[in-house]
Amino acid sequence: MDLEEDIRSLQLDSAEDINGVVNPEDEKPDVDNFDKMEDEDPKQEVQAQSVEAEPKAKDKEIPPVQDEEDEHMKKRHLNVVFIGHVDAGKSTTGGQILFLSGQVDDRTIQKYEKEAKDKSRESWYMAYIMDTNEEERVKGKTVEVGRAHFETDTTRFTILDAPGHKSYVPNMISGASQADIGVLVISARKGEFETGYERGGQTREHVQLAKTLGVTKLLVVVNKMDDPTVNWSKERYDEIESKMVPFLKQSGYNVKKDVSFLPISGLMGLNIKTRLDKSHCSWWDGPCLFESLDSIEVPMGDPQSPFRMPIIDKFKDMGTVVMGKVESGTIKDGDSLLIMPNKDHVKVVAIYIDEKRVNIAGPGENLRVRLSGIEEEDLLSGFVLSSAANPISTVTEFVAQLQILELLDNAIFTAGYKAVLHVHSVVEECEIVELLEQIDPKTRKPIKKKVLFVKNGAIVLCRVQVNNVICVEKFSDFPQLGRFTLRTEGKTVAVGKITAI
């Protein structure tokens, strides 16, 4: 694997005018019940064939699975989303990870160095590994969610490099909704941490969105520690940690159990694959980034539950190919499945993980699945590849428990309120048709009086209606398919979970 495996996908076509952020100073969001996540993958069963010293011609439809590939598939798989304020160093750190893990060769790096220098952007060359299109390279801003793969001794990781700029928050939501682990990248450079952390910065909104989208484990990497304004200062590192911990608690994270902090230099590649040398930083005695990622435990999904894979992209390639992450159940070569909500019967012709063809895949895996029985133009992002015996629910209305974060100025949250709903890979306009009851945040019990409208910080049970049929599940049955966010004019105004369909 000496070539860059940087696949561009997951583009959300949202018609929103994105220009706002969440105010985290209001009451703590109701995220305590959003952390029972069940989408880590089991050990994969891969049908292996013996390989002779002199391989025979590949005259069979399914190529033989090599021994080393068999070992590769036995490793657990996790999706890691890189989040944080614009210019914190997410793409650079992701590029450095790919370089250090052998996914990108020296020659490619030298080409990127020359290209960055020609643009008078010498320090951006590592980001070019993740930011592949010209617009991203010229502006120095990630727009789409970059995707790439790397491995450690025990785990296969898919990197999801989310955009940091507030204009591309819907794309960040798309990336984070597929993630098992979040890596929050913070710049230690003088002034940059403060810009990202204060009101209007994306550090806060990204943390809140990651939590409500089901990212229960967070690794906070304090980047740019080699910057002249920092020079591996323990005081600066401690200052950032002391400011972040209260906010992470307020956002619903159990800091002792689910959050780790570590210092790195993404540009120089320090404390990423190997531990920091004492000559660089005398006070740090903790793990490097790879060790920290390897040590994170994420609950396993159920391979026996009904199959669900939201479709995030589709294309033609010797038939119709769909891309997505398996949220539950197991898929096998030859399976007969349903595409919902259209109820189209399809057959699985081939399954691919990281360019490798496999016969079976379980929860947590990112797949490309070739299907027969449907045309590419009949599919949309947000459709779900589903078990035929137990298909996913399709609705135009559902009951949900909502936590109001921050409404737009002068807005009233009442029946008739309209917003854009983000649930797994669906983006759909919706309307609140009825407020059923308000819930006391302290006792978690309903407030008996009739509710006509609610303010920031309120928890409310309501009926939500969407314009088109969408595929969702109750949060209690499939957490990743039952949690959602509501956004208005570029602001995340509420987070919720579906309680009844």
Side-chain angles (χ1 to χ4, degrees):
M1 293 171 64
D2 59 357
L3 295 176
E4 175 186 350
E5 295 182 52
D6 194 6
I7 303 172
R8 282 288 164 190
S9 60
L10 296 114
Q11 189 169 9
L12 268 179
D13 297 325
S14 173
E16 298 168 296
D17 174 24
I18 317 296
N19 55 17
V21 290
V22 174
N23 174 15
E25 302 300 338
D26 293 320
E27 292 186 38
K28 173 183 169 182
D30 178 29
V31 287
D32 299 334
N33 296 321
F34 282 83
D35 54 7
K36 294 176 182 175
M37 193 167 149
E38 303 179 302
D39 64 303
E40 142 88 279
D41 89 321
K43 289 188 177 180
Q44 305 299 318
E45 299 174 44
V46 177
Q47 194 173 327
Q49 300 176 12
S50 60
V51 180
E52 297 172 12
E54 191 67 50
K56 295 179 182 176
K58 293 182 181 178
D59 56 355
K60 293 187 178 181
E61 185 187 355
I62 300 177
V65 181
Q66 305 294 322
D67 288 344
E68 62 268 21
E69 290 176 356
D70 192 32
E71 288 304 310
H72 159 93
M73 292 309 304
K74 284 180 181 175
K75 292 181 181 180
R76 69 173 184 162
H77 174 263
L78 293 177
N79 281 336
V80 184
V81 66
F82 279 68
I83 59 175
H85 191 65
V86 64
D87 287 340
K90 299 181 293 299
S91 298
T92 296
T93 303
Q96 191 67 256
I97 286 170
L98 295 180
F99 175 60
L100 293 172
S101 59
Q103 306 304 306
V104 184
D105 60 18
D106 286 326
R107 195 167 51 183
T108 305
I109 291 293
Q110 285 165 12
K111 185 185 91 174
Y112 289 157
E113 270 192 282
K114 182 178 183 307
E115 194 177 325
K117 195 170 184 180
D118 291 345
K119 289 184 169 74
S120 300
R121 297 285 188 268
E122 285 89 342
S123 65
W124 289 4
Y125 72 96
M126 274 292 172
Y128 283 11
I129 298 172
M130 296 300 296
D131 291 342
T132 54
N133 78 35
E134 194 57 29
E135 180 194 355
E136 292 179 321
R137 291 182 177 183
V138 170
K139 292 182 179 177
K141 290 187 180 78
T142 302
V143 177
E144 300 171 9
V145 177
R147 176 183 288 235
H149 314 281
F150 76 99
E151 292 184 32
T152 60
D153 291 339
T154 63
T155 311
R156 290 179 295 118
F157 290 100
T158 297
I159 297 175
L160 301 166
D161 177 28
H165 196 275
K166 63 185 178 184
S167 296
Y168 307 113
V169 168
N171 292 8
M172 177 268 167
I173 290 172
S174 171
S177 67
Q178 301 166 67
D180 305 298
I181 301 171
V183 175
L184 174 64
V185 183
I186 288 174
S187 170
R189 182 180 285 160
K190 189 175 181 181
E192 285 191 4
F193 164 66
E194 288 74 14
T195 303
Y197 182 67
E198 68 192 16
R199 280 189 70 173
Q202 298 315 113
T203 302
R204 289 170 173 266
E205 184 176 22
H206 277 201
V207 167
Q208 291 179 317
L209 284 171
K211 180 62 181 170
T212 57
L213 291 165
V215 180
T216 53
K217 305 286 183 177
L218 200 63
L219 206 53
V220 182
V221 298
V222 182
N223 189 26
K224 304 190 185 181
M225 289 294 291
D226 60 316
D227 189 82
T229 64
V230 185
N231 201 20
W232 296 97
S233 159
K234 186 176 189 302
E235 289 71 27
R236 178 62 167 166
Y237 176 82
D238 289 344
E239 177 195 0
I240 290 169
E241 184 173 349
S242 67
K243 285 182 178 174
M244 285 304 299
V245 165
F247 175 66
L248 291 167
K249 285 180 179 173
Q250 180 192 327
S251 299
Y253 279 100
N254 180 331
V255 175
K256 285 185 179 174
K257 200 171 88 175
D258 298 327
V259 179
S260 304
F261 285 80
L262 72 155
I264 67 161
S265 166
L267 185 63
M268 306 305 292
L270 299 175
N271 209 33
I272 291 180
K273 188 178 181 183
T274 54
R275 291 195 176 199
L276 266 175
D277 191 280
K278 292 292 180 188
S279 63
H280 286 111
C281 182
S282 58
W283 52 269
W284 179 254
D285 198 28
C288 63
L289 180 59
F290 278 27
E291 289 173 312
S292 298
L293 287 169
D294 259 346
S295 66
I296 292 175
E297 293 295 327
V298 180
M300 288 180 68
D302 182 7
Q304 304 303 321
S305 59
F307 183 73
R308 303 282 187 268
M309 188 184 95
I311 294 168
I312 56 172
D313 206 357
K314 46 50 179 295
F315 56 91
K316 281 184 181 177
D317 180 14
M318 295 164 55
T320 301
V321 179
V322 296
M323 294 174 62
K325 177 189 172 189
V326 180
E327 296 296 356
S328 74
T330 303
I331 186 172
K332 296 177 184 172
D333 224 340
D335 274 356
S336 292
L337 299 171
L338 275 182
I339 297 278
M340 299 294 284
N342 286 7
K343 300 184 180 173
D344 289 317
H345 288 267
V346 294
K347 186 173 181 182
V348 177
V349 178
I351 306 165
Y352 297 90
I353 299 176
D354 299 359
E355 309 302 322
K356 295 179 176 67
R357 181 161 180 172
V358 298
N359 298 320
I360 185 170
E365 290 290 356
N366 297 320
L367 305 181
R368 286 184 298 119
V369 182
R370 183 173 288 124
L371 303 170
S372 63
I374 194 165
E375 293 299 320
E376 181 255 352
E377 54 265 25
D378 296 329
L379 289 165
L380 293 172
S381 266
F383 282 16
V384 177
L385 191 57
S386 173
S387 157
N390 190 341
I392 190 169
S393 306
T394 57
V395 302
T396 54
E397 195 174 288
F398 56 85
V399 176
Q401 180 179 304
L402 272 181
Q403 162 76 42
I404 311 299
L405 298 176
E406 184 193 19
L407 300 169
L408 297 177
D409 292 342
N410 304 318
I412 298 172
F413 195 88
T414 183
Y417 187 90
K418 292 183 178 174
V420 176
L421 171 84
H422 294 259
V423 54
H424 59 86
S425 54
V426 169
V427 182
E428 187 67 46
E429 290 187 2
C430 72
E431 181 178 340
I432 307 301
V433 290
E434 185 184 2
L435 302 189
L436 301 171
E437 59 187 24
Q438 191 169 351
I439 296 163
D440 188 313
K442 290 176 184 165
T443 64
R444 302 286 174 192
K445 291 182 180 173
I447 297 169
K448 297 215 172 153
K449 65 179 183 180
K450 186 168 173 62
V451 56
L452 297 175
F453 66 92
V454 291
K455 298 178 181 177
N456 292 344
I459 302 171
V460 63
L461 202 66
C462 57
R463 279 197 305 122
V464 182
Q465 195 174 74
V466 288
N467 292 349
N468 298 301
V469 176
I470 61 170
C471 299
V472 294
E473 295 281 13
K474 287 199 298 185
F475 178 84
S476 55
D477 296 336
F478 297 87
Q480 284 302 93
L481 303 172
R483 57 162 61 88
F484 63 91
T485 60
L486 293 184
R487 288 174 58 80
T488 305
E489 293 182 26
K491 248 184 170 174
T492 302
V493 295
V495 297
K497 56 186 181 183
I498 296 168
T499 56
I501 291 171

